[in-house]
Amino acid sequence: MTLHFEHVTAPQRVLFGTGRAAEKVAAEVKRLGAQRVMVIAAPSESVVAREVTAGVAVAVHHDDVAQHVPVAHAERARRVAENHAVDLVISVGGGSTTGLAKAVALTTGLPIVAVPTTYAGSEATNMWGSTEAARKTTGVDDRVLPIAVVYDAALTVTLPVELTVASGLNALAHCVDSMWAPRADPIDRAHAGEGIRALAEGLRRILADPGDIVGREQALYGAYLSAVAFSSAGSGLHHKICHVLGGAYDLPHAHTHAAVLPHVLAFNAPAAPEAERRIAVAFGSSSAVDGLEDLRIILGAPRALRDHGFTDDVIPEAADLILASVPPSNPRAVTAADLRMLLHAALIGEVPSMG
């Protein structure tokens, strides 16, 4: 089969080094010539954020962070940036923190230096999202792509194992979706396959020893690859489902991805044999679905959406909301009935099987 595709590589500096975040952040601020820096970090990350930015002249620290980036929070952060004449935003934290920095950049054009402390991957994409009136809106805009990312595995060591697992499976979901998302190409699939391998190795090592820096580095490396693949390939069925569930029902982002992923994989895999084979090989398994399930069992991964506030009575509404955004390129046609069955399986934490 001949190859024919178009791939765009996003312009971004990636600085990777354990224990060197403060040094690299200061160097980036100097390189960019920034004089008035806004640091965004949730209250739980405030100590880490101040340590990471110790060598930077900070104009304002901002901690009004909430998951799914509510529009009101975004507007307040933009006003803070304007009132302090900010010329650079530094985000220190997980996906919600990076998302708020992106909301500022979307309307101001301010550059972002992202310092991730989870495996969310938002720092390596040009995608943004916000929530208003129980609906999540997403978009793509090059203004929100951080100009630089500083990866330091030491910053993830205090992330509890349970959150590490959920966040890592969120990154795995980026990889899986990138196998068949609307713009998926061979480069995306190569990144995604290596991302799955690195994440699976890293998460297993972290579970055995939460302080294992090599495991943390592998997980961060895999999360970066997952985000690069996802940014290029676009949002597939899995992410369309999770965006609706997060925005409409305020479900926790990473846990929702972890619970939904196996069911989307089981649904799509029979219609995408090449992608299924790549995923299986990355897991070191004869089956993509079995490989993911084996990893989830080892990790004690989040399994049932009902554990996070989702209820059976809203499934019909959720299925209708999701159906409107299903990518036409999904390997398998999707009906409302399919989505109701998938959501029920994720609700109760059913063991997935290809069908």
Side-chain angles (χ1 to χ4, degrees):
M1 180 183 296
T2 61
L3 291 178
H4 179 76
F5 64 92
E6 181 177 321
H7 182 88
V8 176
T9 300
Q12 182 181 67
R13 283 168 61 85
V14 176
L15 301 100
F16 206 110
T18 299
R20 301 180 65 183
E23 167 196 336
K24 292 182 181 296
V25 166
E28 279 303 287
V29 172
K30 181 178 180 180
R31 183 182 71 86
L32 295 168
Q35 300 295 319
R36 299 192 58 78
V37 174
M38 176 181 185
V39 176
I40 297 179
S44 60
E45 300 278 11
S46 61
V47 173
V48 171
R50 289 180 184 275
E51 291 174 351
V52 166
T53 59
V56 176
V58 177
V60 59
H61 287 270
H62 186 75
D63 66 1
D64 186 23
V65 177
Q67 69 172 356
H68 307 304
V69 193
V71 167
H73 286 65
E75 292 174 345
R76 285 196 291 270
R78 290 164 183 157
R79 286 196 296 271
V80 169
E82 181 181 359
N83 291 341
H84 288 81
V86 167
D87 58 5
L88 174 69
V89 177
I90 298 176
S91 63
V92 182
S96 297
T97 300
T98 309
L100 185 59
K102 287 182 171 185
V104 174
L106 183 63
T107 59
T108 64
L110 288 170
I112 303 169
V113 172
V115 186
T117 60
T118 71
Y119 309 109
S122 177
E123 68 279 354
T125 79
N126 61 350
M127 300 176 182
W128 59 270
S130 63
T131 306
E132 186 174 32
R135 294 293 181 268
K136 187 166 187 175
T137 301
T138 61
V140 175
D141 194 306
D142 287 343
R143 288 177 296 179
V144 307
L145 177 72
I147 195 168
V149 185
V150 175
Y151 287 109
D152 183 341
L155 302 183
T156 70
V157 171
T158 57
L159 187 67
V161 170
E162 189 266 342
L163 289 179
T164 295
V165 168
S167 183
L169 287 170
N170 178 22
L172 265 172
H174 291 145
C175 293
V176 172
D177 236 13
S178 296
M179 293 290 184
W180 45 55
R183 300 187 304 275
D185 63 40
I187 296 174
D188 300 329
R189 295 184 184 105
H191 283 150
E194 172 64 359
I196 291 170
R197 183 210 61 77
L199 283 159
E201 176 188 338
L203 290 173
R204 288 189 181 101
R205 292 185 65 131
I206 292 167
L207 186 71
D209 176 8
D212 184 340
I213 287 296
V214 172
R216 297 279 178 178
E217 288 181 338
Q218 282 295 301
L220 268 183
Y221 162 63
Y224 169 72
L225 290 176
S226 78
V228 171
F230 175 58
S231 183
S232 173
S235 293
L237 176 63
H238 172 83
H239 280 81
K240 296 301 184 183
I241 291 171
C242 292
H243 286 165
V244 167
L245 297 181
Y249 309 106
D250 198 30
L251 301 187
H253 183 79
H255 297 77
T256 300
H257 281 271
V260 170
L261 176 61
H263 305 287
V264 175
L265 177 57
F267 180 83
N268 270 347
E274 182 183 351
E276 193 278 337
R277 180 187 60 79
R278 282 178 175 266
I279 296 167
V281 169
F283 279 126
S285 173
S286 60
S287 158
V289 172
D290 290 346
L292 176 59
E293 184 61 15
D294 290 346
L295 179 65
R296 284 163 50 79
I297 290 171
I298 291 170
L299 299 177
R303 183 168 293 277
L305 288 178
R306 64 185 173 192
D307 294 338
H308 305 289
F310 194 58
T311 55
D312 188 70
D313 59 298
V314 300
I315 285 179
E317 176 192 55
D320 288 342
L321 290 172
I322 294 163
L323 188 62
S325 63
V326 171
S329 60
N330 193 64
R332 180 174 170 183
V334 182
T335 67
D338 292 329
L339 291 171
R340 289 193 294 270
M341 290 179 61
L342 190 155
L343 289 172
H344 181 73
L347 172 78
I348 64 175
E350 186 177 281
V351 176
S353 60
M354 289 198 299

